[in-house]
Amino acid sequence: MYFSDDFIKNLMTEKPLILVTNDDGINAPGIRTLISIMNTIGEVVVVAPDSPQSGMGHAITVDATLYVNKIKVDNGPQIEYRCSGTPADCVKLAIRELLNRKPDLCVSGINHGSNASINVIYSGTMSAAVEAGIEGIPAIGFSLLNYAWDANFEASKIFVKNITKEVLKNKLPDGVVLNVNIPNLPQKDIKGIKVCRQAKGNWVEAFDKRQNPSGKDYYWLSGEFVNLDSGTDTDEYALENGYISVVPTQFDLTAHTFLKELNTWNLNR
């Protein structure tokens, strides 16, 4: 079979297709930064929530209709859609309805705030990345340790770009996505990147009980994160010491180390 020189040239120069999403909403400064970075690497399609969806975890919409609108937020070359659903919904819709081929990569973020340690469970940012991983798409969730809407993402740009290029170059194992957290520091003060494990920690939570004008009780959730891990190989340790943390995260929740012991139990009596 003969292939023309132009055909071969197009194959060699074809840019990767990158799906961009988040949980802070399509207008959040974090995703706008991420889009600008990805535009330097590949062809970008954005499918992101039309409003903030933080803390949604891996929620999907099953009891309401979903709406998707093609929009133009800035003058970049990317194609953009805003979605009425959750971050996981955005990835599902992108793959099944909006894209003409499977993405080479999905990036989620840049989140306004940490998704280290136990926060990965609650994170819509990471759940979007996990949803892509379930579909066999290499995926990365990026987060900056600054919850402010006007957070400065400038220092994170070079690291986000380099990590993304490495994932495109080396791929990821099936069932694994990357959870990347970036300390809120100037670029000159970031010491480097550490590959880590997820720290053991949890939230000590409380509910602020109030009453509305009609006398009906309602609650506001509050809490404080507590790091229960003294290890020096964790994401929390890396971040506290000025490093970017990269945690390879799997969505197989099986406790493989407990399988052998569980099989010794008399479960069938």
Side-chain angles (χ1 to χ4, degrees), residues 4 16 39 59 82 115 133 141 167-168 182 184 192 202 223 225 238 240 242 261 263:
S4 69
N39 278 333
R82 64 182 179 191
N115 278 319
V167 169
L168 284 168
I182 304 165
N184 186 34
N202 67 346
F225 174 74
E240 288 170 2
E261 180 179 341
N263 271 308

mmCIF file of all heavy atoms in Angstrom, residues 4 16 39 59 82 115 133 141 167-168 182 184 192 202 223 225 238 240 242 261 263:
data_model
loop_
_atom_site.group_PDB
_atom_site.id
_atom_site.type_symbol
_atom_site.label_atom_id
_atom_site.label_comp_id
_atom_site.label_asym_id
_atom_site.label_seq_id
_atom_site.Cartn_x
_atom_site.Cartn_y
_atom_site.Cartn_z
ATOM 1 N N SER A 4 1.197 8.687 0.569
ATOM 2 C CA SER A 4 1.828 9.884 0.032
ATOM 3 C C SER A 4 2.716 10.541 1.083
ATOM 4 O O SER A 4 2.549 10.326 2.279
ATOM 5 C CB SER A 4 0.764 10.882 -0.436
ATOM 6 O OG SER A 4 0.076 11.411 0.679
ATOM 7 N N PRO A 16 -1.409 15.670 19.855
ATOM 8 C CA PRO A 16 -2.281 14.859 20.702
ATOM 9 C C PRO A 16 -3.584 15.591 21.004
ATOM 10 O O PRO A 16 -3.608 16.816 21.125
ATOM 11 C CB PRO A 16 -1.452 14.652 21.970
ATOM 12 C CG PRO A 16 -0.478 15.788 21.986
ATOM 13 C CD PRO A 16 -0.176 16.077 20.550
ATOM 14 N N ASN A 39 -2.743 24.238 25.227
ATOM 15 C CA ASN A 39 -2.731 24.732 23.854
ATOM 16 C C ASN A 39 -1.339 24.739 23.252
ATOM 17 O O ASN A 39 -1.191 24.737 22.023
ATOM 18 C CB ASN A 39 -3.328 26.145 23.791
ATOM 19 C CG ASN A 39 -4.842 26.154 23.758
ATOM 20 O OD1 ASN A 39 -5.474 25.200 23.302
ATOM 21 N ND2 ASN A 39 -5.439 27.222 24.242
ATOM 22 N N ALA A 59 -19.631 11.710 41.780
ATOM 23 C CA ALA A 59 -21.076 11.770 41.533
ATOM 24 C C ALA A 59 -21.367 11.877 40.043
ATOM 25 O O ALA A 59 -20.643 12.531 39.294
ATOM 26 C CB ALA A 59 -21.681 12.971 42.263
ATOM 27 N N ARG A 82 -19.659 23.958 27.951
ATOM 28 C CA ARG A 82 -20.021 23.995 29.364
ATOM 29 C C ARG A 82 -21.155 23.015 29.584
ATOM 30 O O ARG A 82 -22.067 22.888 28.753
ATOM 31 C CB ARG A 82 -20.413 25.402 29.804
ATOM 32 C CG ARG A 82 -21.648 25.963 29.143
ATOM 33 C CD ARG A 82 -21.907 27.381 29.611
ATOM 34 N NE ARG A 82 -23.086 27.943 28.951
ATOM 35 C CZ ARG A 82 -23.416 29.230 29.001
ATOM 36 N NH1 ARG A 82 -22.648 30.082 29.667
ATOM 37 N NH2 ARG A 82 -24.497 29.652 28.388
ATOM 38 N N ASN A 115 -5.716 18.661 46.901
ATOM 39 C CA ASN A 115 -6.355 17.354 46.760
ATOM 40 C C ASN A 115 -5.405 16.251 47.219
ATOM 41 O O ASN A 115 -5.445 15.126 46.721
ATOM 42 C CB ASN A 115 -6.804 17.119 45.319
ATOM 43 C CG ASN A 115 -8.130 17.792 45.033
ATOM 44 O OD1 ASN A 115 -9.034 17.774 45.852
ATOM 45 N ND2 ASN A 115 -8.230 18.414 43.867
ATOM 46 N N GLY A 133 -9.454 7.681 33.359
ATOM 47 C CA GLY A 133 -8.641 6.482 33.531
ATOM 48 C C GLY A 133 -9.446 5.208 33.366
ATOM 49 O O GLY A 133 -8.959 4.212 32.806
ATOM 50 N N GLY A 141 -4.698 14.835 37.446
ATOM 51 C CA GLY A 141 -5.392 15.885 38.171
ATOM 52 C C GLY A 141 -4.368 16.835 38.766
ATOM 53 O O GLY A 141 -3.444 16.403 39.470
ATOM 54 N N VAL A 167 3.927 12.370 30.688
ATOM 55 C CA VAL A 167 2.841 11.382 30.619
ATOM 56 C C VAL A 167 2.540 11.024 29.170
ATOM 57 O O VAL A 167 2.350 9.848 28.826
ATOM 58 C CB VAL A 167 1.584 11.906 31.334
ATOM 59 C CG1 VAL A 167 0.380 11.015 31.035
ATOM 60 C CG2 VAL A 167 1.816 11.973 32.841
ATOM 61 N N LEU A 168 2.509 12.014 28.285
ATOM 62 C CA LEU A 168 2.284 11.731 26.866
ATOM 63 C C LEU A 168 3.401 10.863 26.288
ATOM 64 O O LEU A 168 3.160 9.981 25.455
ATOM 65 C CB LEU A 168 2.172 13.034 26.083
ATOM 66 C CG LEU A 168 0.851 13.801 26.234
ATOM 67 C CD1 LEU A 168 0.978 15.200 25.656
ATOM 68 C CD2 LEU A 168 -0.293 13.043 25.567
ATOM 69 N N ILE A 182 0.531 21.097 44.006
ATOM 70 C CA ILE A 182 1.589 22.096 43.866
ATOM 71 C C ILE A 182 1.522 23.063 45.045
ATOM 72 O O ILE A 182 0.461 23.638 45.307
ATOM 73 C CB ILE A 182 1.420 22.868 42.548
ATOM 74 C CG1 ILE A 182 1.405 21.892 41.361
ATOM 75 C CG2 ILE A 182 2.520 23.909 42.380
ATOM 76 C CD1 ILE A 182 0.895 22.488 40.075
ATOM 77 N N ASN A 184 1.816 26.431 47.259
ATOM 78 C CA ASN A 184 1.535 27.822 46.906
ATOM 79 C C ASN A 184 2.766 28.672 47.184
ATOM 80 O O ASN A 184 2.830 29.427 48.158
ATOM 81 C CB ASN A 184 0.330 28.325 47.707
ATOM 82 C CG ASN A 184 -0.101 29.712 47.288
ATOM 83 O OD1 ASN A 184 0.001 30.071 46.118
ATOM 84 N ND2 ASN A 184 -0.586 30.497 48.234
ATOM 85 N N GLY A 192 11.349 21.223 43.823
ATOM 86 C CA GLY A 192 11.350 20.159 42.829
ATOM 87 C C GLY A 192 10.093 19.325 42.935
ATOM 88 O O GLY A 192 9.092 19.760 43.500
ATOM 89 N N ASN A 202 -7.282 12.584 57.908
ATOM 90 C CA ASN A 202 -8.734 12.717 57.792
ATOM 91 C C ASN A 202 -9.162 14.100 58.243
ATOM 92 O O ASN A 202 -8.348 14.910 58.694
ATOM 93 C CB ASN A 202 -9.457 11.624 58.583
ATOM 94 C CG ASN A 202 -9.266 11.761 60.087
ATOM 95 O OD1 ASN A 202 -8.404 12.508 60.558
ATOM 96 N ND2 ASN A 202 -10.070 11.049 60.861
ATOM 97 N N GLY A 223 -14.727 21.941 59.245
ATOM 98 C CA GLY A 223 -13.799 20.935 59.745
ATOM 99 C C GLY A 223 -12.358 21.342 59.560
ATOM 100 O O GLY A 223 -12.039 22.361 58.942
ATOM 101 N N PHE A 225 -8.454 19.593 58.603
ATOM 102 C CA PHE A 225 -7.709 18.421 58.168
ATOM 103 C C PHE A 225 -6.610 18.086 59.163
ATOM 104 O O PHE A 225 -5.887 18.977 59.633
ATOM 105 C CB PHE A 225 -7.085 18.658 56.791
ATOM 106 C CG PHE A 225 -6.188 17.532 56.347
ATOM 107 C CD1 PHE A 225 -6.727 16.326 55.927
ATOM 108 C CD2 PHE A 225 -4.807 17.665 56.386
ATOM 109 C CE1 PHE A 225 -5.904 15.278 55.536
ATOM 110 C CE2 PHE A 225 -3.977 16.635 55.996
ATOM 111 C CZ PHE A 225 -4.532 15.432 55.569
ATOM 112 N N ALA A 238 5.856 16.180 51.382
ATOM 113 C CA ALA A 238 6.463 16.869 50.253
ATOM 114 C C ALA A 238 5.967 18.315 50.158
ATOM 115 O O ALA A 238 6.759 19.249 50.024
ATOM 116 C CB ALA A 238 6.162 16.120 48.962
ATOM 117 N N GLU A 240 4.567 20.202 52.469
ATOM 118 C CA GLU A 240 4.977 21.003 53.620
ATOM 119 C C GLU A 240 6.437 21.442 53.511
ATOM 120 O O GLU A 240 6.849 22.422 54.139
ATOM 121 C CB GLU A 240 4.779 20.209 54.910
ATOM 122 C CG GLU A 240 3.314 20.035 55.298
ATOM 123 C CD GLU A 240 3.131 19.038 56.430
ATOM 124 O OE1 GLU A 240 4.160 18.514 56.945
ATOM 125 O OE2 GLU A 240 1.975 18.759 56.796
ATOM 126 N N GLY A 242 8.003 22.174 50.536
ATOM 127 C CA GLY A 242 8.271 22.956 49.341
ATOM 128 C C GLY A 242 8.401 22.184 48.052
ATOM 129 O O GLY A 242 8.915 22.712 47.061
ATOM 130 N N GLU A 261 -6.000 -13.425 53.890
ATOM 131 C CA GLU A 261 -6.548 -13.640 55.228
ATOM 132 C C GLU A 261 -8.065 -13.786 55.200
ATOM 133 O O GLU A 261 -8.635 -14.634 55.883
ATOM 134 C CB GLU A 261 -6.166 -12.486 56.147
ATOM 135 C CG GLU A 261 -6.705 -12.651 57.569
ATOM 136 C CD GLU A 261 -6.319 -11.530 58.500
ATOM 137 O OE1 GLU A 261 -5.346 -10.806 58.182
ATOM 138 O OE2 GLU A 261 -6.985 -11.365 59.532
ATOM 139 N N ASN A 263 -9.858 -15.049 53.000
ATOM 140 C CA ASN A 263 -10.212 -16.374 52.504
ATOM 141 C C ASN A 263 -10.107 -17.457 53.576
ATOM 142 O O ASN A 263 -10.567 -18.588 53.383
ATOM 143 C CB ASN A 263 -9.345 -16.738 51.310
ATOM 144 C CG ASN A 263 -9.945 -16.271 49.998
ATOM 145 O OD1 ASN A 263 -11.105 -16.564 49.712
ATOM 146 N ND2 ASN A 263 -9.176 -15.544 49.215
#
